[in-house]
């Protein structure tokens, strides 16, 4: 296993450290001895073929999937502060016929007040503030089931940003988003990362955005096959072997 520059000694402070993480489901070894560091403020991309264990790794980090090994979080200089994680799962779907609006979705997630009582003025202002973070104020009254792939990702991202997390975990945020929407979304993630000083850990099948946006790339296929800068990973023999061709989208 090639641990790359981030897999061994940690040069500067980490938000997330994983050591020897393994996941076994039934008799199947889904992930084996995963070690990685996500440094504060970095964008880390996890790539790998379908079934490589990318979503399972994210779920293990979130505590939704049983695993062995060590997962530890730290906020540098703030030992006892609780760490907040924002998460957008892979391809959530909403029924186009469902009358739930973006405002309803936020109100359900952010308020204890039953949705049928309506949304208070204060709550509406709070929702508008959340949507502003993803430049999505105009989406507030749209029905969630009718949003485009890119719009839905922006809304889910806005939800994951409230309360503001220290680390944002995104599972395939670019799937279902058109090419134009992809660079808009990646620009937005980059802006959010810098403005709110958070780390982003995301899985992706889109290799074309890696060089521009990712600080660190991890090639996963049950184990970490290779990790490093985008160009180190995209030009590695492990990448060639897994994807049988150079660069491009899988
Ligand atoms: P990826 O996100 O890289 O496409 P996943 O993490 O979704 O891969 O899945 C990795 C492997 O683990 C797949 O072979 C999948 O079938 C298996 N797997 C995931 N979740 C479960 C589960 N709950 N029960 C059994 N097998 C699972
Ligand atoms: Mg997945």
């Amino acid at each position: 296993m090639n641990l790359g520059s981030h897999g061994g000694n940690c040069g500067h402070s980490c938000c997330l450290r994983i050591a020897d993480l393994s996941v076994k489901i039934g008799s199947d070894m889904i992930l084996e001895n995963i070690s990685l560091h996500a440094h504060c403020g970095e964008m880390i991309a996890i790539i790998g073929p379908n079934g490589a264990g990318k979503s399972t790794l994210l779920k293990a980090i979130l505590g939704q999937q049983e695993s062995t090994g060590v997962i530890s979080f730290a906020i540098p200089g703030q030992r006892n502060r609780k760490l907040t994680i924002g998460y957008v799962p892979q391809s959530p779907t909403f029924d186009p016929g469902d009358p739930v609006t973006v405002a309803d979705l936020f109100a359900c997630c952010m308020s204890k007040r039953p949705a049928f009582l309506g949304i208070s003025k204060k709550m509406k202002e709070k929702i508008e503030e959340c949507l502003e973070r993803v430049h999505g104020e105009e989406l507030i009254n749209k029905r969630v089931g009718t949003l485009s792939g890119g719009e839905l990702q922006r809304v889910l991202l806005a939800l994951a940003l409230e309360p503001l997390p220290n680390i944002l975990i995104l599972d395939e945020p670019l799937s279902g988003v058109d090419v134009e929407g992809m660079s808009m979304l990646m620009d937005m993630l980059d802006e959010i990362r810098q403005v709110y000083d958070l780390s982003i850990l995301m899985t992706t099948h889109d290799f074309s955005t890696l060089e521009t946006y990712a600080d660190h790339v991890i090639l996963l296929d049950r184990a970490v096959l290779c990790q490093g800068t985008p160009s180190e990973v995209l030009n590695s023999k492990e990448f060639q072997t897994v994807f049988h061709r150079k660069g491009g989208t899988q």
Side-chain angles (χ1 to χ4, degrees):
M1 178 167 58
N2 172 15
L3 289 174
S5 57
H6 286 236
N9 292 326
C10 195
H12 56 287
S13 37
C14 282
C15 270
L16 167 66
R17 284 168 192 258
I18 295 178
D20 291 327
L21 180 142
S22 296
V23 172
K24 195 174 181 184
I25 302 181
S27 57
D28 295 333
M29 208 65 191
I30 309 294
L31 292 171
E32 207 163 5
N33 297 328
I34 307 294
S35 293
L36 63 91
H37 295 169
H39 295 278
C40 289
E42 277 190 345
M43 184 179 284
I44 316 276
I46 301 172
I47 62 170
N50 288 326
K54 302 182 294 297
S55 297
T56 305
L57 175 59
L58 299 188
K59 285 178 194 158
I61 294 168
L62 291 159
Q64 295 178 356
Q65 170 65 56
E66 212 177 301
S67 62
T68 58
V70 179
I71 301 171
S72 60
F73 297 99
I75 313 171
Q78 301 183 36
R79 250 168 199 241
N80 297 319
R81 227 187 83 191
K82 202 170 143 249
L83 182 126
T84 306
I85 303 177
Y87 172 52
V88 178
Q90 186 171 358
S91 315
T93 50
F94 294 89
D95 185 344
D98 198 319
V100 171
T101 66
V102 170
D104 295 333
L105 182 67
F106 271 85
C108 287
C109 296
M110 297 192 332
S111 163
K112 291 193 179 88
R113 182 181 150 113
F116 62 82
L117 291 178
I119 297 168
S120 67
K121 190 166 171 275
K122 200 167 157 223
M123 176 54 68
K124 190 164 177 265
E125 282 168 8
K126 180 80 192 155
I127 297 168
E128 283 166 347
E129 211 177 281
C130 289
L131 286 169
E132 257 176 52
R133 290 178 179 154
V134 298
H135 312 302
E137 301 93 311
E138 79 286 359
L139 302 175
I140 191 162
N141 293 318
K142 285 205 172 185
R143 294 203 322 219
V144 181
T146 63
L147 297 175
S148 72
E151 287 172 339
L152 179 61
Q153 278 300 328
R154 274 157 64 204
V155 166
L156 297 175
L157 186 58
L159 264 180
L161 288 172
E162 183 54 39
L164 272 176
N166 303 96
I167 183 162
L168 192 54
I169 294 185
L170 310 170
D171 200 353
E172 305 279 357
L174 301 177
S175 67
V177 178
D178 59 31
V179 177
E180 203 181 314
M182 274 188 200
S183 38
M184 189 183 151
L185 197 61
M186 290 307 296
D187 277 340
M188 187 174 293
L189 287 174
D190 202 39
E191 180 191 318
I192 285 167
R193 181 176 69 93
Q194 289 180 50
V195 171
Y196 300 111
D197 190 25
L198 46 83
S199 311
I200 298 180
L201 184 62
M202 64 181 277
T203 63
T204 182
H205 276 110
D206 183 71
F207 306 139
S208 65
T209 50
L210 294 178
E211 300 250 20
T212 313
Y213 298 100
D215 295 297
H216 190 68
V217 178
I218 295 165
L219 173 60
L220 187 77
D221 195 4
R222 200 168 64 110
V224 176
L225 301 183
C226 166
Q227 60 178 308
T229 63
S231 65
E232 278 167 1
V233 173
L234 293 173
N235 294 307
S236 68
K237 63 178 187 319
E238 290 87 354
F239 180 86
Q240 305 289 341
T241 308
V242 170
F243 293 108
H244 302 295
R245 67 195 170 93
K246 202 170 177 176
T249 307
Q250 190 198 8

